[in-house]
Amino acid sequence: MRAALRRDFGYSGAHDIVAAGRVLLATIAMGIVLRTTFPLPALERAVRLCFAGYLTLAVATLLARLVSWKATGVMRRISAVADEVLGLAVLVFYPVLTVLRLPFIIFLLVIKRLQSSIASVAIEYLILAAIVLLHDRIASFWPAIPRAGWDQQLLQFTMLTFVAAAALVVKMRQADATSSDRWNGELLATGIRARSMPIEEISKRLAGRFQARIVLVCWKGGENATGHFYRFEGDALTEIEPAAGGAERMLLPTGWDEAFLWEKRTGKALVNSKPGAGAAVRAVEPGFLPDDLVEGAAVVGAMPIAANAMEGYVYLVGLPRVSEILLGQVAAAGHAVSATLDRYQMFEAWRENAFANARLDISRDMHDSVLQTLAGLRLQVAVLMKDPDMPVPLRQQRLKGLESIISAEQACLRELVNDSAQPVGERIDLASHLAQRAELLSRQWGIDCSVQAEPPVLPVSPDIALEVEFLVREAVSNAVQHAKAAVVRVAAALRDEAVLVSIRSDGATMIETAADGADVEGILSRSLTKRVKALNGRAYADPMERGVLLSLRIPLKVGVYVEAADR
C-alpha cells in the first residue's frame, strides 16, 4: 500500500488534485440533489442515479492509482468525458441554482485545466458561454428544460466570464514562464557551444526578447581588471571606448548592484528590491550612460552580471514600458546571462586543460617512440662496434639500414601529428597503420614481425588507431628487449564495437602471477597497463610453451577511466 501511494509522487500530483476536487464536487452536488424535489418521481430517480454514478466514478478515479497505472489512464479518460457531460447538463437543467452551477464552472475552467493550454481554456469558455446565452432559445424547443430569465442569464454569463478570465491570466503567466525557461535554456546552451566570449550571441538574444534598440555590455575583470565595453545595434557588435569617468559609471551606475528600469523623463527607477519585498522606486541621476545612446530612448533596463572575475552591467536601451513584470523578466535574464558567461568560462578552462593534456600525451608518445627507436639503433650499433672485422661493404649496408630506420621513424612521427589533427568523425585504416609499424619494428629490432587483419581494412577513428598502434609498438618492444623474442605475430579484428588485438611472441615466458585488477592480468609493464586502463580496455597475458600470448580489447568509444596526467 505504501509503495502504491508513493508511486509517481510529484509527477501525478496535479492529477490527484483534480481527482480529489472531483470527489468533493460530486459530494456537494449529490447533497444538493438529494434535498431538491422534482415534479416527476421517475425524473427524480434518474437525476439522483446520475449524480450517484458520477460520485462513484469520482471516487474510483481517485483510487485507481492504487491499482495500476493502466487503470489510472483509463479512468482519467472516462472521468474527463463524464465531467463535460454532467457539467453541461447542470448548466442546462439547473440554470437558476447558482450553488450547484458555479462549482461545476470553476471545476471545468480552472481545476480540470491545470495542465492544459490557453486554447483549451478558451474553447471551454466559448462552449459554456454559448449554452448560457442560448439557454432560453434551447428551452423553447425542449419543454423539459426550465427557463431562466434574462437577469439570471446575465448573472451566469458574468460569473462564467470572471472565472474564465482568471483561468486565462494564470495560463498566460504559465506560458510566459515556460517561454522564459526555454529562452534561458537556449541562452545557456550558447555557453557550451561558443569558442569565444559569446557577447554578440547574448546581445542578439536580449535585443530580440525585450525589443531593445541598443544593447550595451560592460564589464571589468581579468588579470588587470580592465574594462570592456560593447554596443550591439542593428545586428552588429562594436567595441566602444567611453570617457574615463563615464566608464566607471557604466560599470556600476548606482552602487545598488540590482536590476532596475530607468525612465528618462522622470529620472526615477523601478528597482528589483529584496525577494518578497516587491519593487521599489528610487531616483537615479542621469549620466550613467552617454547622452548619444540615451537620446530618443524613454526607458532603459539595466541588469548586473557577475561570472568568476567578470563584474559589470548590461543595458537595454529603448524598452517599451516600465512595469513590475518587465522588471522581473529583466532581472531573470540578468541571472541567465551571468550563468551563460560562467558556463562559457568553465568549459573554456576545461577545453584548455583537455588540450594541454592532449598535447602532453602526444609529446609523451612521440618521446616514447623516439626512445624505443634509439634503443633498437643502439643495439645494432653495439653489434657493429663488437665486430671490427666486418667487411666495409656490409658495414655500409648496415649503416644505410640504420639511416632508413631513422627516416621511417621521422615519417611515422609526421603521420602521427597529422592523424591527431583529423576531425572527430573521420575514419582511417588501422590495418595499414599496424602493417607499417610492424615493418618498421622488424627493421628496428632485427626481428620477424608481421600483421594479419580481419577484415583486411579496419576503419576506426584516428584516436583509436593511434592508441592501438602505440600499444602494439610498446608490447612488441617489451617482448624483444625483456623476453628476447625473435618472432612476433600480430592479429587485429573488429568485433562488437571493439578492436581485438592478439600479440604472440616466441621469447621467454614472463607472466605476473598476481592480477592487476579485473581487466588487466599477467602484464608486467606498468606503462602498458596504464594505457589499457585509460582506454577502458582489457588485457590478458597467457603463457605458452615458448613465449607469451597477449590479448587486448579496446572499445571503439571513449573510455570512462581517465587518469590525471603527471606534469
Side-chain angles (χ1 to χ4, degrees):
M1 179 63 72
R2 292 181 179 178
L5 290 174
R6 289 196 300 266
R7 185 172 63 239
D8 295 336
F9 182 73
Y11 174 77
S12 60
H15 290 289
D16 292 339
I17 293 174
V18 172
R22 184 183 291 109
V23 172
L24 179 61
L25 177 63
T27 303
I28 295 174
M30 189 66 189
I32 296 174
V33 170
L34 290 177
R35 294 192 300 269
T36 304
T37 58
F38 295 88
L40 298 176
L43 179 61
E44 181 176 349
R45 286 194 302 269
V47 171
R48 290 181 179 179
L49 184 61
C50 179
F51 278 89
Y54 182 71
L55 177 59
T56 303
L57 180 63
V59 175
T61 303
L62 181 62
L63 300 179
R65 68 175 303 182
L66 302 179
V67 180
S68 70
W69 60 271
K70 293 182 179 180
T72 301
V74 173
M75 293 304 298
R76 283 175 183 170
R77 289 192 292 269
I78 296 175
S79 59
V81 176
D83 292 335
E84 298 293 334
V85 172
L86 194 60
L88 297 178
V90 167
L91 283 180
V92 173
F93 291 98
Y94 296 91
V96 296
L97 198 57
T98 304
V99 69
L100 180 61
R101 172 175 39 80
L102 184 59
F104 271 95
I105 291 177
I106 296 175
F107 182 74
L108 291 176
L109 286 175
V110 181
I111 300 178
K112 188 168 176 285
R113 302 293 173 179
L114 287 175
Q115 296 180 335
S116 59
S117 62
I118 296 176
S120 65
V121 176
I123 292 173
E124 188 79 33
Y125 165 72
L126 293 176
I127 294 174
L128 298 177
I131 292 177
V132 170
L133 295 177
L134 301 176
H135 180 272
D136 283 357
R137 185 168 298 181
I138 298 174
S140 63
F141 294 100
W142 192 2
I145 299 177
R147 289 183 174 271
W150 180 246
D151 294 339
Q152 192 70 29
Q153 286 180 295
L154 288 179
L155 178 62
Q156 290 181 22
F157 182 77
T158 301
M159 289 189 298
L160 175 64
T161 304
F162 177 78
V163 174
L168 287 173
V169 168
V170 173
K171 284 297 171 186
M172 286 188 287
R173 293 297 297 270
Q174 290 179 350
D176 181 71
T178 302
S179 175
S180 299
D181 292 341
R182 187 183 303 111
W183 185 86
N184 292 341
E186 293 173 353
L187 184 64
L188 286 172
T190 62
I192 302 176
R193 297 192 302 266
R195 292 297 181 265
S196 60
M197 189 73 76
I199 300 301
E200 183 173 3
E201 182 68 19
I202 290 174
S203 302
K204 183 177 181 179
R205 290 183 177 276
L206 288 173
R209 174 170 172 75
F210 294 101
Q211 301 301 313
R213 180 168 54 87
I214 299 173
V215 177
L216 302 177
V217 184
C218 318
W219 83 88
K220 62 179 179 180
E223 297 180 356
N224 301 323
T226 55
H228 304 270
F229 304 88
Y230 289 89
R231 169 178 173 172
F232 181 82
E233 182 179 11
D235 291 335
L237 182 70
T238 57
E239 189 171 1
I240 60 176
E241 295 183 2
E248 291 296 326
R249 193 75 191 279
M250 292 174 69
L251 292 172
L252 191 60
T254 60
W256 305 329
D257 196 22
E258 294 172 340
F260 63 89
L261 300 179
W262 179 71
E263 189 179 40
K264 179 182 178 182
R265 181 179 59 84
T266 62
K268 298 295 182 67
L270 189 65
V271 184
N272 187 45
S273 189
K274 297 180 180 179
V281 178
R282 302 177 190 174
V284 177
E285 296 181 2
F288 62 92
L289 289 179
D291 293 337
D292 58 337
L293 296 181
V294 182
E295 184 179 359
V299 179
V300 175
M303 61 181 75
I305 57 173
N308 293 329
M310 293 178 59
E311 292 183 353
Y313 259 84
V314 174
Y315 299 97
L316 308 173
V317 181
L319 294 183
R321 64 191 182 282
V322 175
S323 69
E324 291 191 18
I325 295 178
L326 181 59
L327 177 60
Q329 294 174 349
V330 170
H335 295 307
V337 171
S338 298
T340 301
L341 295 174
D342 186 74
R343 178 171 291 191
Y344 163 76
Q345 295 181 41
M346 179 187 69
F347 275 91
E348 185 66 17
W350 176 83
R351 281 190 290 263
E352 290 180 358
N353 184 63
F355 291 153
N357 287 335
R359 288 192 294 268
L360 182 61
D361 290 339
I362 291 177
S363 63
R364 282 182 172 176
D365 289 334
M366 296 174 66
H367 176 264
D368 293 343
S369 179
V370 171
L371 283 183
Q372 291 178 357
T373 301
L374 291 177
L377 295 176
R378 181 176 59 83
L379 292 178
Q380 298 194 39
V381 170
V383 172
L384 293 177
M385 294 178 62
K386 290 180 181 179
D387 190 3
D389 299 330
M390 181 180 297
V392 174
L394 180 58
R395 187 183 299 273
Q396 290 179 346
Q397 182 181 358
R398 292 282 186 89
L399 291 174
K400 288 183 179 180
L402 297 181
E403 181 183 4
S404 66
I405 292 175
I406 295 175
S407 299
E409 185 62 31
Q410 290 176 338
C412 287
L413 291 177
R414 285 194 298 269
E415 188 174 2
L416 184 151
V417 175
N418 294 333
D419 289 342
S420 63
Q422 293 290 332
V424 176
E426 191 69 21
R427 291 291 182 269
I428 60 178
D429 182 19
L430 174 62
S432 62
H433 273 250
L434 293 181
Q436 181 182 9
R437 176 57 60 180
E439 192 272 337
L440 183 57
L441 288 171
S442 298
R443 296 162 54 192
Q444 175 181 330
W445 296 108
I447 63 173
D448 180 10
C449 182
S450 61
V451 174
Q452 180 179 2
E454 178 61 36
V457 177
L458 304 176
V460 297
S461 66
D463 292 339
I464 294 296
L466 292 177
E467 294 293 346
V468 172
E469 181 181 348
F470 280 124
L471 281 170
V472 172
R473 180 206 62 194
E474 186 167 354
V476 173
S477 299
N478 289 341
V480 175
Q481 293 184 84
H482 303 298
K484 308 303 179 183
V487 178
V488 180
R489 297 288 182 257
V490 180
L494 294 179
R495 296 287 189 278
D496 299 328
E497 297 297 323
V499 178
L500 304 181
V501 179
S502 65
I503 304 172
R504 182 173 181 174
S505 60
D506 67 343
T509 300
M510 301 178 65
I511 297 293
E512 190 177 43
T513 56
D516 183 14
D519 296 332
V520 181
E521 295 183 1
I523 298 177
L524 291 171
S525 174
R526 293 184 178 179
S527 60
L528 193 63
T529 299
K530 183 178 179 181
R531 282 185 180 277
V532 173
K533 284 186 174 181
L535 295 170
N536 198 28
R538 294 183 178 182
Y540 304 95
D542 298 319
M544 299 186 299
E545 182 177 352
R546 175 172 174 78
V548 176
L549 176 63
L550 175 63
S551 302
L552 303 172
R553 184 185 187 278
I554 306 300
L556 294 179
K557 295 182 180 180
V558 178
V560 297
Y561 179 91
V562 179
E563 187 172 344
D566 299 330
R567 296 287 180 179

